[in-house]
Amino acid sequence: MNFRFAVISDPHIALPQTIWTHPNRFHLVEVSIPALQLVLDRLVNLDLDFILLPGDLTQDGEPENHAWLRDCLASLPFPAYVIPGNHDVLTPLPGPGNIGLHQFPQYYQAFGYTNPGQLYYCREILPGVQLIGLNSNNFDGAGKQIGYVDEEQLQWLAALLPTLKNGLILVMIHHNVIEHLPGQSEHELGKRYMLNNAGEVLTLLKQYGVKLIFTGHLHVQDIAYQEGIYEITTGSLVSYPHPYRVIDVTQDRDNNITLNIQSDRVESVEGWETLAHKSRQWMADRSFPFMLRLLTSHPLNLPADEAEKLAPSLRYFWSDVAAGDNYFDFDHFPPHVREYFRSFSAIDEGGNPQPIDNNTSLVIDYL
């Protein structure tokens, strides 16, 4: 078993006529099309077996953006597999300018969805390699979007997994199943990126020996590990540091699987020759309100006046989190605040540097 694939997440495709502005938008949809085209031009020379796109394919579910991406993926010399993100399906039914949830598979029948009436799928994409694409986009009784794998999918998954024996299983889902940030599942700013029933899904995957999950949504480069499962989340192609991944998978005589993960970035595109610098500044310029909320919410709960004094030091904090493999030590912060932000560092349980978010090798015994 030897193969190579790429991961591009959250490309947020936006044709020029669909782009809208918002003062708090962190990502640069203005570069979505040239950035994707640049990356795909690079990837066609790498002898890939397939590519994964774990959601937020479009800016906000616009039919023309979905159609553009569908046609783009159809032109590739290797298969592409997609799932919906929260930006792809804003409403259960079609709305003004956006598709409805159940229309998504109809656009991507060549990219995983053999059943256009079903929002999830399983495909044997290579001999002995199964890809499970799940839908984590649902809506509560008030019509608000939530990250949730519904009961129908859970029952399907529970029936499917026991039949997938003696092979490698890749699970792709938009929302995070494993935490990538300290206290993410409980924090008011982090929990919306988590699957509401993450524990239930994780237990099911663990029961049947699934070792690999690929997610997006969070817009950070991070690899997390819990209970024998690695979750690889890939940052957005339209926000700093504009990353994507290329992964080589090899199998040894003892049936150990090794994933050699390499990450690359888009540093510039036409018209945005200093993209990396500008997007980092773009994020920093919009960081102050976000940092205030982080400082004044649980678990820090700082008074507003104290938070306002510390927030300017965190101007580049989120961009550095997004880049992965960073170490944080704000030595002028109060001890408990300093320790909290240090916990976002790429370190192991002993506090030692562990830079695995971008380039690393993971060894998995999958039998």
Short mmCIF file of all heavy atoms in Angstrom, two decimals, residues 100 103 130 140 172 180 227 234 256 265 278 281 294 301 315 340:
data_model
loop_
_atom_site.label_atom_id
_atom_site.label_comp_id
_atom_site.label_asym_id
_atom_site.label_seq_id
_atom_site.Cartn_x
_atom_site.Cartn_y
_atom_site.Cartn_z
N GLY A 100 -29.56 24.77 -1.05
CA GLY A 100 -30.01 24.11 0.17
C GLY A 100 -29.15 22.90 0.49
O GLY A 100 -28.42 22.38 -0.37
N GLN A 103 -29.21 19.82 -1.75
CA GLN A 103 -28.75 20.01 -3.13
C GLN A 103 -27.25 19.74 -3.28
O GLN A 103 -26.77 19.52 -4.39
CB GLN A 103 -29.04 21.44 -3.58
CG GLN A 103 -30.51 21.74 -3.84
CD GLN A 103 -30.69 23.18 -4.29
OE1 GLN A 103 -30.39 24.12 -3.55
NE2 GLN A 103 -31.15 23.37 -5.52
N GLN A 130 -10.46 2.85 2.09
CA GLN A 130 -11.85 3.32 2.11
C GLN A 130 -11.90 4.76 2.58
O GLN A 130 -11.25 5.13 3.56
CB GLN A 130 -12.69 2.46 3.05
CG GLN A 130 -12.70 0.97 2.73
CD GLN A 130 -13.59 0.64 1.54
OE1 GLN A 130 -14.42 1.46 1.12
NE2 GLN A 130 -13.45 -0.57 1.02
N ASP A 140 -30.78 23.41 14.04
CA ASP A 140 -31.63 23.17 15.19
C ASP A 140 -33.07 23.60 14.90
O ASP A 140 -33.39 24.01 13.77
CB ASP A 140 -31.08 23.86 16.44
CG ASP A 140 -31.05 25.39 16.33
OD1 ASP A 140 -31.74 25.94 15.44
OD2 ASP A 140 -30.35 26.02 17.13
N MET A 172 -13.48 11.77 6.53
CA MET A 172 -13.43 13.21 6.24
C MET A 172 -14.72 13.85 6.73
O MET A 172 -15.82 13.40 6.39
CB MET A 172 -13.24 13.43 4.72
CG MET A 172 -13.11 14.89 4.36
SD MET A 172 -12.48 15.19 2.67
CE MET A 172 -13.68 14.32 1.65
N HIS A 180 -8.46 20.82 19.01
CA HIS A 180 -7.19 21.33 18.50
C HIS A 180 -6.70 22.55 19.27
O HIS A 180 -5.58 23.02 19.04
CB HIS A 180 -7.33 21.68 17.01
CG HIS A 180 -7.55 20.49 16.14
ND1 HIS A 180 -6.51 19.75 15.61
CD2 HIS A 180 -8.69 19.87 15.75
CE1 HIS A 180 -7.00 18.74 14.91
NE2 HIS A 180 -8.32 18.80 14.98
N GLU A 227 -7.01 8.96 22.00
CA GLU A 227 -7.51 7.58 22.06
C GLU A 227 -7.16 6.77 20.81
O GLU A 227 -7.99 6.05 20.27
CB GLU A 227 -9.02 7.57 22.30
CG GLU A 227 -9.42 8.25 23.60
CD GLU A 227 -10.93 8.23 23.83
OE1 GLU A 227 -11.58 7.29 23.35
OE2 GLU A 227 -11.43 9.15 24.47
N THR A 234 -6.56 21.05 8.43
CA THR A 234 -5.76 21.84 7.50
C THR A 234 -6.31 23.25 7.44
O THR A 234 -7.53 23.45 7.38
CB THR A 234 -5.76 21.19 6.10
OG1 THR A 234 -5.23 19.86 6.22
CG2 THR A 234 -4.92 21.99 5.11
N ASN A 256 2.52 -1.79 9.46
CA ASN A 256 2.48 -0.42 9.97
C ASN A 256 2.35 0.55 8.80
O ASN A 256 3.01 0.39 7.78
CB ASN A 256 3.74 -0.09 10.76
CG ASN A 256 3.82 -0.87 12.05
OD1 ASN A 256 2.84 -0.97 12.79
ND2 ASN A 256 4.98 -1.45 12.33
N ARG A 265 2.74 26.40 1.23
CA ARG A 265 1.93 27.60 1.35
C ARG A 265 1.88 28.36 0.03
O ARG A 265 2.79 28.25 -0.79
CB ARG A 265 2.51 28.52 2.42
CG ARG A 265 2.61 27.92 3.81
CD ARG A 265 3.26 28.89 4.77
NE ARG A 265 3.26 28.39 6.14
CZ ARG A 265 3.70 29.08 7.19
NH1 ARG A 265 4.18 30.31 7.00
NH2 ARG A 265 3.65 28.56 8.40
N LYS A 278 0.51 40.44 3.72
CA LYS A 278 -0.73 41.21 3.80
C LYS A 278 -1.82 40.44 4.56
O LYS A 278 -2.58 41.05 5.33
CB LYS A 278 -1.22 41.56 2.40
CG LYS A 278 -2.43 42.48 2.42
CD LYS A 278 -2.70 43.13 1.09
CE LYS A 278 -3.85 44.12 1.18
NZ LYS A 278 -4.08 44.85 -0.09
N GLN A 281 -1.18 40.62 8.25
CA GLN A 281 -1.56 41.93 8.75
C GLN A 281 -3.07 42.10 8.77
O GLN A 281 -3.64 42.69 9.70
CB GLN A 281 -0.94 43.03 7.86
CG GLN A 281 0.58 43.12 7.95
CD GLN A 281 1.05 43.42 9.36
OE1 GLN A 281 1.86 42.69 9.94
NE2 GLN A 281 0.53 44.50 9.94
N LEU A 294 -11.56 36.67 24.05
CA LEU A 294 -10.78 35.56 24.58
C LEU A 294 -10.32 35.84 26.00
O LEU A 294 -10.35 34.96 26.87
CB LEU A 294 -9.58 35.30 23.66
CG LEU A 294 -8.70 34.09 23.97
CD1 LEU A 294 -9.49 32.81 23.88
CD2 LEU A 294 -7.52 34.04 23.01
N ASN A 301 -11.55 35.12 32.28
CA ASN A 301 -12.54 36.02 32.92
C ASN A 301 -11.91 37.31 33.44
O ASN A 301 -12.21 37.78 34.54
CB ASN A 301 -13.25 35.30 34.07
CG ASN A 301 -14.00 34.07 33.60
OD1 ASN A 301 -14.72 34.11 32.62
ND2 ASN A 301 -13.84 32.96 34.32
N ARG A 315 -1.77 40.76 19.14
CA ARG A 315 -2.13 41.17 17.78
C ARG A 315 -1.88 40.06 16.76
O ARG A 315 -2.69 39.84 15.85
CB ARG A 315 -1.32 42.42 17.42
CG ARG A 315 -1.50 42.92 16.00
CD ARG A 315 -0.75 44.23 15.81
NE ARG A 315 -0.71 44.63 14.41
CZ ARG A 315 -1.70 45.25 13.78
NH1 ARG A 315 -2.81 45.53 14.43
NH2 ARG A 315 -1.57 45.58 12.52
N TYR A 340 -1.89 30.21 30.47
CA TYR A 340 -2.99 29.88 29.56
C TYR A 340 -2.56 29.98 28.10
O TYR A 340 -2.80 29.07 27.30
CB TYR A 340 -4.19 30.80 29.82
CG TYR A 340 -5.32 30.59 28.84
CD1 TYR A 340 -6.10 29.44 28.89
CD2 TYR A 340 -5.62 31.55 27.87
CE1 TYR A 340 -7.15 29.24 28.00
CE2 TYR A 340 -6.66 31.36 26.97
CZ TYR A 340 -7.41 30.21 27.04
OH TYR A 340 -8.43 30.00 26.14
#
